Amino acid sequence: MSARYHLSAYDCGRAIGRLEAGQSVTTVAAAMGVSKSVASRIKKAAEGRNALQKHAGGRGGNTTLLEDRYVALMSKRNRNLTPGQIAANLATATGTHVSARIISLRLNQVGLAVWKSSEEHLFYF
């Protein structure tokens, strides 16, 4: 049987009731069919302590979709801007500081090539 990592609001209430009745985290997890980490997070949340959310995956939260559109627009307007220059423009315009690597990734996601300056092509032996 695979463990579940999320509970509905109703099931969370049931789990909190069992925990408040004195059942252990292991017992509640087994009864609800969830992993022990889920039951432990529910217990922490009920006690008012810091209950960390599980990471949901997906695209990183460095930039918003609007900022991604701004990056693509800046790249289309001036094709000679390097990712570092676009990152500096983004920081000036929105206050969001991201690395040149993130800018390169966002441009590749929308199908735009990244322009590299001649210094980046030099190899030192």
Side-chain angles (χ1 to χ4, degrees):
M1 179 174 121
S2 64
R4 292 186 328 191
Y5 292 100
H6 300 285
L7 286 177
S8 67
Y10 174 74
D11 288 335
C12 281
R14 287 181 49 217
I16 290 170
R18 286 175 175 248
L19 289 167
E20 288 175 349
Q23 290 186 0
S24 69
V25 170
T26 307
T27 308
V28 172
M32 302 293 293
V34 296
S35 66
K36 287 188 284 185
S37 66
V38 173
S40 177
R41 283 199 322 264
I42 290 171
K43 181 179 178 183
K44 286 181 182 179
E47 292 173 352
R49 296 192 336 223
N50 185 15
L52 297 175
Q53 294 281 330
K54 241 177 131 48
H55 180 64
R59 183 170 88 53
N62 304 29
T63 57
T64 64
L65 292 176
L66 189 61
E67 290 166 346
D68 291 346
R69 287 174 54 196
Y70 177 80
V71 166
L73 182 66
M74 287 301 299
S75 179
K76 288 177 184 177
R77 281 185 183 166
N78 190 348
R79 299 295 291 177
N80 293 334
L81 288 178
T82 63
Q85 292 169 331
I86 295 173
N89 287 348
L90 180 66
T92 303
T94 64
T96 303
H97 297 279
V98 293
S99 67
R101 178 70 182 144
I102 295 296
I103 298 296
S104 299
L105 290 173
R106 296 298 182 253
L107 289 174
N108 285 333
Q109 285 176 350
V110 295
L112 295 173
V114 177
W115 191 83
K116 295 183 179 179
S117 64
S118 60
E119 294 96 25
E120 294 178 28
H121 292 292
L122 296 177
F123 296 105
Y124 297 101
F125 296 101

